[in-house]
Amino acid sequence: MPAKNKDLHGSAPDKSPVALLLIDVINDMEFDDGDKLLANALPAARKIAVLKRKARKAGIPVIYVNDNFGKWRSDFNKLVEHCLKSGVRGEPVVKLLKPNKNDYFVLKPKHSGFFDTSLEILLKYLEVKTLIMAGFAGNICVLFTANDAYMYDFKLFVPSDCCASNEVLDNDYALKQIEGLLKADIRPSDEIDLTKF
């Protein structure tokens, strides 16, 4: 019998008990109420950028879990390029959160990062047990992904300052649900010691 593949043919070289999931942060926000989301997302993006730098420094893999916007021929690099064009509403957020060559990317067709994606198997190969989640919208895609992560028995951190929704009240309600029902730690990002995982 051939030996079991241990690293997805080299596509998942990292091993870590924790991973940082950035949910729908590569987003042009060119939709109805995108201006509302941008207003709330920009302060969160600044916090996410700091969290990402700390995660990379601590050796924690960063996984972009992004919507494909209904385009099944989506190309992540083209999506980033599109979002960085001058005049695109989401440009300031994407500038802050632009991926680098060591980051992972999972394309999702629906709200949850787990639904019909390769995320579960990637996390298995990385040997992840704890997820830190950040992104947009907190009351939709972050909530749905956190729900599925809870069902897969991951320990969850969803920093309250690293999520945003169109409406602050909706975001706050989603965070309360994530904390209360999904047992997630929602303390602000600067209170999470990434060296302790």
Side-chain angles (χ1 to χ4, degrees):
M1 287 292 267
K4 183 179 175 186
N5 178 12
K6 293 183 181 175
D7 68 356
L8 286 179
H9 302 287
S11 297
D14 300 302
K15 298 288 180 216
S16 176
V18 61
L20 173 60
L21 299 188
L22 300 184
I23 301 167
D24 287 339
V25 300
I26 306 301
N27 190 327
D28 65 11
M29 300 195 190
E30 295 289 343
F31 46 79
D32 291 344
D33 290 336
D35 55 332
K36 289 183 180 180
L37 180 57
L38 177 62
N40 295 324
L42 200 48
R46 292 186 187 105
K47 294 289 190 173
I48 295 168
V50 172
L51 181 63
K52 181 186 175 188
R53 282 194 297 276
K54 289 180 181 177
R56 294 308 302 174
K57 189 174 181 183
I60 294 171
V62 177
I63 305 169
Y64 285 76
V65 181
N66 225 92
D67 196 74
N68 70 357
F69 303 102
K71 297 174 185 171
W72 283 101
R73 292 183 178 167
S74 292
D75 177 303
F76 185 56
N77 292 322
K78 285 185 182 175
L79 178 61
V80 173
E81 189 179 300
H82 162 72
C83 291
L84 288 173
K85 287 182 181 168
S86 180
V88 172
R89 186 182 284 152
E91 178 193 12
V93 168
V94 178
K95 272 187 177 174
L96 286 168
L97 301 175
K98 195 166 54 169
N100 65 38
K101 64 178 182 167
N102 295 319
D103 295 330
Y104 296 93
F105 174 70
V106 172
L107 184 69
K108 66 183 182 71
K110 290 284 197 176
H111 305 22
S112 171
F114 287 92
F115 180 77
D116 276 350
T117 74
S118 59
L119 182 59
E120 182 190 2
I121 194 163
L122 174 60
L123 294 172
K124 184 186 294 185
Y125 276 94
L126 293 172
E127 300 179 7
V128 171
K129 304 291 181 211
T130 299
L131 294 172
I132 303 169
M133 294 186 186
F136 322 122
N139 66 326
I140 305 171
C141 296
V142 175
L143 175 62
F144 281 58
T145 303
N147 183 73
D148 284 353
Y150 175 77
M151 299 294 283
Y152 282 112
D153 293 322
F154 287 99
K155 184 175 180 182
L156 298 174
F157 286 80
V158 183
S160 57
D161 58 343
C162 291
C163 292
S165 304
N166 291 14
E167 302 292 340
V168 173
L169 287 176
D170 292 341
N171 199 68
D172 291 346
Y173 181 75
L175 285 167
K176 285 182 182 169
Q177 296 294 305
I178 288 168
E179 180 183 41
L181 299 176
L182 308 181
K183 314 300 183 227
D185 187 321
I186 65 165
R187 75 180 85 174
S189 58
D190 58 0
E191 294 179 19
I192 301 172
D193 186 350
L194 298 180
T195 65
K196 297 278 176 89
F197 288 100

